[in-house]
Amino acid sequence: MWRDMNRKKIAWLVALLVLCAIGGGAYVYWQQKQTKTPYRFANIERGGVVATVSATGTLNPVVSVQVGSQVSGQIKEILVDYNSEVKRGQVIARI
């Protein structure tokens, strides 16, 4: 008689544990499904496409030219600044 009662209690306990495991698994499944990002709807608009480029670091010139002179004397006037862009034939300084 005691053995039958213990077996029934164990069977009920196992059944309860199985139901709890199924319920816990279902809860976790539905929580993960609800946390996915929902779709967002927006109106269609026309506009231009803009491309942006960014970089970090040091910029280096493609072409670098050394400028010098073989004339000696005092400089009267400097017509360009340091790192200025110059063109061919442009006067840089007057001696």
Side-chain angles (χ1 to χ4, degrees):
M1 184 170 178
W2 289 102
R3 282 185 168 177
D4 291 335
M5 190 169 266
N6 284 338
R7 286 183 184 173
K8 286 182 182 180
K9 284 183 181 179
I10 291 173
W12 279 106
L13 184 61
V14 169
L16 182 64
L17 288 175
V18 169
L19 286 174
C20 287
I22 291 171
Y27 175 77
V28 169
Y29 173 76
W30 289 109
Q31 287 296 341
Q32 287 178 352
K33 195 170 189 175
Q34 289 177 356
T35 58
K36 290 184 179 177
T37 306
Y39 291 104
R40 293 186 321 168
F41 295 98
N43 292 331
I44 297 174
E45 297 177 2
R46 288 187 180 258
V49 177
V50 178
T52 303
V53 177
S54 63
T56 59
T58 305
L59 296 176
N60 294 317
V62 177
V63 177
S64 179
V65 178
Q66 293 291 329
V67 178
S69 171
Q70 296 179 357
V71 179
S72 61
Q74 292 184 347
I75 296 178
K76 290 184 179 181
E77 186 178 16
I78 298 178
L79 301 173
V80 294
D81 196 12
Y82 181 76
N83 273 345
S84 296
E85 186 175 322
V86 294
K87 307 275 189 233
R88 176 184 270 180
Q90 179 179 349
V91 177
I92 296 173
R94 295 187 203 275
I95 299 178

